[in-house]
Amino acid sequence: MEREVVITGDGSSTIHLPQWNEQYHSKHGAIQEAYHVFIKYGLHHYCYSELDSESQLKVVSKGIQTARISILEIGFGTGLNAFITLLEAEKLKCSIDYYGVEGYPVEKEEVVQLNYPEKLDVASKENLFINLHDVSWEDQHSITPNFSLTKQNRFFSEIKEKEQFNIIYFDAFGARVQPELWTEDIFQKMYEALQNNGVLVTYAAKGSVRRAMQTVGFSVEKLPGPPGKREMLRATKKS
């Protein structure tokens, strides 16, 4: 399928699929969307609200470097969510084991056109962003002292992990173009993959998606959406 790198509303790049009229990120701003959906309402929410003494950390803002958080990303794509999470791991002083699942990896010539290090004002760390894409698939790699990455080249329906992850970034293509990725069967796999009190965050807010999440057992919240979108969803696996 044809793909082209384009610039979004906040100046950061994304990949556009002309055949589907679909982008990897919001046309209103790739970086803005990533921070709002996955960092603010996913990672930060979990760190400041969900971690307790049983999770080895009471409040990460106090700089206690004992928390180990496991994150699954559904749709590794351009690596933007992974790169921002890597940067946040350093700020939060926690250790993150990151698993990115992708059926159709981005090509090397596309990666070099992505301007995330520059737009995040961390041009000196561009080598880390490139390394996220260069490391081999299916193996765990220590990218920084706070961040390890395991990329898995497989389809979302093939996920079989049980109670492994604390957070899921559900960043699949929209239900308009790939409705099969937003079904009860897929969310059942997500539910089973999360540990108790784990959270799943997504930019989506469709009623059918919310109902599918609730049917498999999630407690679901509607939250303010990123720029250009009124709402988004966060689902929690209650113990």
Side-chain angles (χ1 to χ4, degrees):
M1 184 179 297
E2 180 186 357
R3 304 193 295 203
E4 56 187 13
V5 176
V6 299
I7 300 299
T8 65
D10 64 3
S12 58
S13 48
T14 190
I15 294 176
H16 177 65
L17 306 176
Q19 183 176 330
W20 284 353
N21 191 28
E22 181 80 340
Q23 291 78 227
Y24 277 57
H25 310 95
S26 169
K27 65 182 180 181
H28 298 282
I31 287 176
Q32 287 182 147
E33 178 188 47
Y35 266 109
H36 184 94
V37 176
F38 302 109
I39 303 303
K40 177 180 179 179
Y41 285 121
L43 179 62
H44 287 177
H45 166 79
Y46 183 84
C47 286
Y48 295 121
S49 303
E50 299 295 338
L51 285 178
D52 54 26
S53 57
E54 294 181 358
S55 300
Q56 300 179 296
L57 184 69
K58 190 67 176 176
V59 183
V60 291
S61 60
K62 293 183 178 179
I64 306 169
Q65 195 166 350
T66 55
R68 192 159 204 97
I69 300 171
S70 182
I71 299 177
L72 170 65
E73 181 179 16
I74 299 299
F76 183 76
T78 65
L80 173 59
N81 294 332
F83 186 51
I84 294 177
T85 302
L86 178 155
L87 299 175
E88 288 296 310
E90 296 179 357
K91 297 176 186 176
L92 294 170
K93 300 186 185 303
C94 64
S95 296
I96 293 178
D97 295 322
Y98 198 97
Y99 296 79
V101 176
E102 179 60 57
Y104 303 96
V106 170
E107 299 293 337
K108 178 73 172 182
E109 55 267 26
E110 295 168 323
V111 172
V112 298
Q113 297 179 62
L114 300 171
N115 64 1
Y116 304 139
E118 173 193 349
K119 291 301 177 180
L120 289 164
D121 199 25
V122 290
S124 63
K125 297 184 178 182
E126 183 175 10
N127 62 312
L128 293 177
F129 175 67
I130 298 299
N131 198 26
L132 295 177
H133 290 277
D134 282 348
V135 295
S136 61
W137 292 77
E138 316 307 333
D139 301 310
Q140 187 175 52
H141 301 273
S142 179
I143 307 298
T144 72
N146 298 81
F147 186 92
S148 73
L149 173 66
T150 305
K151 297 187 299 183
Q152 299 174 331
N153 185 195
R154 56 175 169 160
F155 298 116
F156 308 152
S157 60
E158 297 172 332
I159 292 172
K160 294 182 173 62
E161 284 79 3
K162 307 294 183 185
E163 298 185 355
Q164 180 173 336
F165 307 105
N166 304 114
I167 305 169
I168 294 177
Y169 295 168
F170 199 89
D171 201 15
F173 286 127
R176 175 180 63 85
V177 296
Q178 288 195 301
E180 70 276 10
L181 303 183
W182 301 86
T183 62
E184 289 180 19
D185 287 344
I186 293 294
F187 287 118
Q188 181 67 48
K189 292 178 181 293
M190 301 299 104
Y191 187 87
E192 293 173 358
L194 280 172
Q195 296 180 20
N196 286 335
N197 297 318
V199 297
L200 178 154
V201 282
T202 182
Y203 62 85
K206 288 186 65 174
S208 59
V209 173
R210 176 174 52 83
R211 290 188 292 273
M213 292 176 173
Q214 291 172 326
T215 297
V216 304
F218 279 115
S219 175
V220 184
E221 307 168 77
K222 288 183 179 180
L223 299 168
K229 192 167 180 58
R230 187 164 62 90
E231 294 177 327
M232 58 164 281
L233 298 176
R234 179 171 64 212
T236 303
K237 180 178 180 178
K238 296 294 188 181
S239 59

